[in-house]
Amino acid sequence: MMAAVKAAECGARVTLLEANEKPGKKLLVTGNGRCNLTNLDQSDPKRYRGADKKFTDAVFAKFSVQDTLDCFRAAGLLLTDRDGYVYPLVGQASAVVEILLAECRRKKVKLKTNERAVSIERKNGEWSVLTQGWHYEADAVVIAAGSKAAPATGAGSGGYQLAEQLGHRIVPVHEALTPLISGDRFVKKLAGLRMRSRVTLEIRKGSKDPWREITSEVGEVQWTEYGISGICVFQLSRYAIDAINAGEQAQLRLDLMPALTMEELKRELLTRPADDSVGKYLTGLLPAKMIPVLLQRMDLRPEQRAEMLTEKELDRMAVQVKEFTLAVTGNKGCEMAQVCAGGVDTAELAVGTLESTRCPGIYFAGELIDVDGKCGGYNLQWAWSSGAVAGRNAAGEKEEKKECFE
């Protein structure tokens, strides 16, 4: 929709082909239905993955976060800033969809729903987009079909197939922001537990190799029947999946009490009341579900008297709390993924225009390209920026063109 609006602003006659009954179905579920449409903090160089930083920077230089804010405000959408996370003031993703649709109507974009593109061909100097029931001629085509994450919203592999038909290389696609699965048996005992933790991803090639720290996040962890979830886990999941796909081992090391240092925690354990059982000794320090799991990993019986704990055992207890490990064996797949990594190889797209270097007149935008971002509005910002840049360039900026497609 952003590509269509910006192409129309440049004078193009635009037809938008939508496979679903209505555009924006996936947008409706973003931000838990509230739509975190961008993030004001763009300082983290690792906020986008996949492509070379110069590639994404060139796109943001032409359509920035500020351009996004100005665009939506001018269209009538009031916004609110929540510590850098930007949402519509009404708190509804549907408002963003309706604003974009209103802009499409305002710019006279022709919207064709239930029209899934199945192939794109070059005929008589023009591009022809074939759907299951029709064909559309165009001077330029913008392919912004998204990834296969969240198939319940109509997402699929159609965009990748179109790109491959045109001769493009597809970087292997896999889930990027998704819950992780663990084979450790204790996870079922923790299902339903939520707690703030620092989560660090570690990987190694073989069981005899040392663990290597990859990256770390702090936030609320959600324990599940199958493993672990939560935004901080999502942020690490791409790298864990990369490692597993490469035949490496992955584990998460959790600091269950990030508010205390190791020394502070050891002092706390030494001074706690010890006139009851070991099972009661950690009450008030850790959630009830976590206590028996932690004691079992230390080979301590819950009914054992706390006063019998040695200083060495207390030190081991502190280490368990601060360095609680969880093996990662897989992920929950596209059904529960927010976005996917991989896609159209950026080496085959012109930097700053997103035009195909293989097929002039073909442009790509959004998650279909091998660019994926962190949680927090970054993936939507890439959608707005890449859509605007692709749409404008497909329309030849100020130069009028015959047709333009998304």
Side-chain angles (χ1 to χ4, degrees):
M1 287 187 281
M2 180 65 83
V5 167
K6 293 304 176 182
E9 285 179 355
C10 293
R13 290 191 291 117
V14 182
T15 299
L16 193 157
L17 302 180
E18 169 59 53
N20 289 326
E21 293 182 2
K22 184 179 179 181
K25 190 173 181 180
K26 195 170 185 178
L27 186 58
L28 290 173
V29 300
T30 60
N32 292 321
R34 294 178 296 134
C35 188
N36 178 194
L37 76 152
T38 190
N39 198 301
L40 301 181
D41 181 8
Q42 297 290 317
S43 61
D44 183 0
K46 294 182 180 180
R47 67 193 186 283
Y48 292 101
R49 301 87 176 258
D52 185 287
K53 185 175 181 295
K54 293 179 181 178
F55 182 87
T56 52
D57 284 352
V59 172
F60 294 128
K62 295 195 173 183
F63 196 84
S64 66
V65 171
Q66 190 58 53
D67 292 327
T68 299
L69 300 177
D70 293 343
C71 179
F72 279 107
R73 284 168 178 156
L77 184 68
L78 295 182
L79 305 172
T80 182
D81 169 12
R82 299 177 184 174
D83 297 322
Y85 297 76
V86 178
Y87 294 85
L89 185 61
V90 293
Q92 296 178 322
S94 58
V96 182
V97 175
E98 292 305 320
I99 284 288
L100 286 168
L101 287 173
E103 282 297 289
C104 285
R105 291 191 296 269
R106 203 170 288 130
K107 302 297 191 302
K108 295 181 171 51
V109 172
K110 188 184 298 183
L111 174 60
K112 296 287 186 177
T113 57
N114 296 310
E115 281 280 56
R116 184 179 296 278
V118 295
S119 68
I120 302 173
E121 301 173 358
R122 188 73 171 169
K123 292 183 177 180
N124 302 320
E126 290 186 331
W127 290 105
S128 180
V129 181
L130 279 69
T131 67
Q132 294 171 330
W134 199 248
H135 66 275
Y136 300 82
E137 281 71 39
D139 292 328
V141 181
V142 177
I143 306 176
S147 78
K148 58 183 182 179
T153 64
S157 301
Y160 307 122
Q161 294 167 3
L162 292 174
E164 286 184 311
Q165 288 175 14
L166 293 166
H168 283 273
R169 174 179 178 268
I170 303 298
V171 176
V173 177
H174 66 75
E175 304 79 3
L177 300 177
T178 186
L180 294 174
I181 296 173
S182 175
D184 291 339
R185 294 181 179 180
F186 67 81
V187 295
K188 290 187 177 182
K189 298 178 181 178
L190 299 176
L193 176 62
R194 293 171 179 251
M195 59 188 303
R196 185 172 176 79
S197 305
R198 176 178 290 279
V199 187
T200 301
L201 172 66
E202 299 177 328
I203 65 173
R204 64 182 179 183
K205 289 187 176 180
S207 56
K208 294 183 179 180
D209 297 313
W211 290 104
R212 307 191 315 275
E213 181 176 323
I214 302 302
T215 187
S216 182
E217 295 282 342
V218 178
E220 184 182 71
V221 165
Q222 300 170 26
W223 293 92
T224 66
E225 290 280 341
Y226 55 79
I228 193 168
S229 187
I231 297 300
C232 59
V233 175
F234 282 18
Q235 307 287 39
L236 306 175
S237 61
R238 184 198 207 274
Y239 305 108
I241 296 166
D242 279 342
I244 292 171
N245 288 345
E248 296 184 307
Q249 298 175 1
Q251 75 169 13
L252 299 180
R253 177 165 47 84
L254 290 88
D255 179 352
L256 305 178
M257 295 198 68
L260 298 181
T261 66
M262 180 70 82
E263 291 306 313
E264 288 172 337
L265 178 57
K266 287 181 178 180
R267 285 197 297 270
E268 171 63 27
L269 290 173
L270 284 169
T271 57
R272 291 182 73 76
D275 56 352
D276 209 327
S277 67
V278 172
K280 300 293 185 182
Y281 186 67
L282 295 175
T283 300
L285 193 67
L286 290 173
K289 278 189 175 183
M290 179 59 71
I291 294 172
V293 170
L294 187 140
L295 294 179
Q296 184 178 9
R297 298 186 88 178
M298 291 184 63
D299 294 323
L300 291 175
R301 302 187 313 278
E303 67 274 11
Q304 180 180 331
R305 298 297 299 174
E307 61 194 15
M308 302 300 292
L309 289 171
T310 66
E311 188 171 340
K312 187 176 181 180
E313 286 175 323
L314 291 175
D315 284 348
R316 284 178 53 220
M317 190 176 288
V319 171
Q320 276 291 328
V321 172
K322 299 292 284 185
E323 299 180 6
F324 189 93
T325 57
L326 174 74
V328 178
T329 55
N331 72 90
K332 290 299 287 181
C334 285
E335 288 73 15
M336 294 185 68
Q338 292 187 0
V339 299
C340 282
V344 176
D345 191 343
T346 58
E348 299 179 351
L349 304 181
V351 176
T353 70
L354 302 179
E355 184 175 19
S356 166
T357 56
R358 289 183 174 272
C359 306
I362 298 290
Y363 296 78
F364 291 91
E367 201 182 331
L368 183 59
I369 302 172
D370 180 26
V371 175
D372 59 288
K374 296 172 58 176
C375 286
Y378 295 103
N379 288 288
L380 280 182
Q381 182 57 56
W382 173 246
W384 312 134
S385 294
S386 61
V389 168
R392 286 172 173 173
N393 282 281
E397 289 288 345
K398 298 293 183 180
E399 182 183 327
E400 185 172 347
K401 289 245 179 181
K402 179 183 175 184
E403 283 278 353
C404 207
F405 296 91
E406 181 176 14

